[in-house]
Amino acid sequence: MKKLILSLSVSFAAALAAPAASAAGGGAVMDFTADYSNTASMQRGARNFMNYCAACHGLKYLRYSSIEKHLEIPRELIESELMFGTDNFNGHIETAMPPESAEWFGQQPPDLSLTARSRGADWIYSFLNTFYVDPEATTGYNNLQLKGAAMPHVLAELQGIVVKSKDEEAGDGHGGGHGGNHGLKLVQDGALSPEEYEAFTADLTNFLAFAAEPGKADRIALGWNVMFYLFLLFGLTYLLKREFWRDVH
């Protein structure tokens, strides 16, 4: 088993645990490719999701047992640190948000099981990194990726206070930015540095990509094995053909 790099805690100090390997910004949708081979990143992403997202959003197509199987997190650790409000290890990850939450936010917080497949991992990463202060918004925040988002910026204490730069407000879209985030400017530090925050959201995005397709890494590995054996078979078949046709030529 790979060394488990996981520090499970709701405290901001725990959120600083080892950054993800990849995080990039720029463009209308920030450039991000989910890394299905980075088990440690997805482990941290599971922690991030359960600590900051699971209160409102569920993953109804993902089971806790799948996290144990694919992310190599011991069952005892999942039960003690990731399972809140349920003791069904083989059950799906459901939200505890009551039906009346639709009245609080204007709509029911969506299940995020298939978001990475329907919108793409780069969309999720962009969404998490482009919140900014908007006094006219009901929650006090808006989002460049999803205008008028009803979701509060639950990671604000980690990210800090971000506003639109003057150039962005003027409409040219080329202002300086926090992490290259399309004219957004960090005006007050959060619990994480900009680099640590981007790593935090990269881990979370990797986990949501895993949640959408838990077996994808296994399929990729199987595909490479099949290709290897096909090339090997081709080589053996070619040598056999030469042996059979040697006397003919």
Side-chain angles (χ1 to χ4, degrees):
M1 178 184 292
K2 298 178 182 178
K3 183 178 180 180
L4 187 65
I5 306 177
L6 186 65
S7 175
L8 295 161
S9 170
V10 297
S11 68
F12 292 147
L16 291 169
S22 61
V29 175
M30 300 172 71
D31 183 23
F32 182 88
T33 301
D35 186 356
Y36 292 92
S37 66
N38 194 341
T39 303
S41 174
M42 292 185 287
Q43 289 173 348
R44 295 190 298 268
R47 171 207 61 198
N48 298 348
F49 180 86
M50 298 308 298
N51 286 339
Y52 293 96
C53 308
C56 296
H57 299 283
L59 297 171
K60 64 182 179 181
Y61 298 120
L62 180 66
R63 299 177 186 273
Y64 292 100
S65 55
S66 293
I67 295 178
E68 177 195 35
K69 175 182 177 181
H70 296 287
L71 299 190
E72 303 175 2
I73 303 177
R75 175 169 179 168
E76 314 80 67
L77 193 57
I78 294 175
E79 291 177 334
S80 63
E81 302 292 348
L82 297 183
M83 294 177 64
F84 306 123
T86 181
D87 57 1
N88 184 5
F89 185 75
N90 292 312
H92 296 90
I93 302 177
E94 303 283 355
T95 178
M97 188 63 66
E100 56 267 26
S101 62
E103 300 177 6
W104 306 341
F105 301 106
Q107 64 179 21
Q108 187 77 19
D111 182 87
L112 300 182
S113 299
L114 302 178
T115 303
R117 294 187 65 178
S118 62
R119 293 185 180 269
D122 50 357
W123 188 96
I124 297 173
Y125 181 74
S126 301
F127 177 74
L128 294 173
N129 282 280
T130 57
F131 275 97
Y132 64 92
V133 173
D134 183 357
E136 297 182 1
T138 304
T139 63
Y141 284 89
N142 210 327
N143 189 279
L144 290 182
Q145 192 65 29
L146 185 63
K147 294 288 187 180
M151 173 181 154
H153 187 18
V154 296
L155 303 179
E157 292 185 82
L158 298 180
Q159 183 182 26
I161 304 300
V162 176
V163 299
K164 278 188 176 181
S165 69
K166 292 183 179 180
D167 288 337
E168 177 71 15
E169 291 172 350
D172 65 12
H174 295 288
H178 160 55
N181 293 348
H182 323 296
L184 298 184
K185 181 179 180 181
L186 179 67
V187 296
Q188 180 177 319
D189 293 335
L192 305 182
S193 69
E195 294 76 17
E196 289 168 335
Y197 180 76
E198 290 176 2
F200 181 95
T201 56
D203 290 336
L204 180 53
T205 304
N206 276 334
F207 173 70
L208 289 175
F210 156 78
E213 299 182 82
K216 185 169 184 176
D218 294 337
R219 294 200 304 275
I220 292 174
L222 178 61
W224 282 112
N225 289 337
V226 170
M227 292 299 296
F228 171 78
Y229 285 116
L230 286 176
F231 279 118
L232 181 62
L233 180 62
F234 173 80
L236 293 175
T237 304
Y238 175 73
L239 294 174
L240 185 61
K241 177 260 183 189
R242 290 190 59 184
E243 179 66 25
F244 282 155
W245 287 83
R246 182 174 54 184
D247 297 333
V248 175
H249 296 292

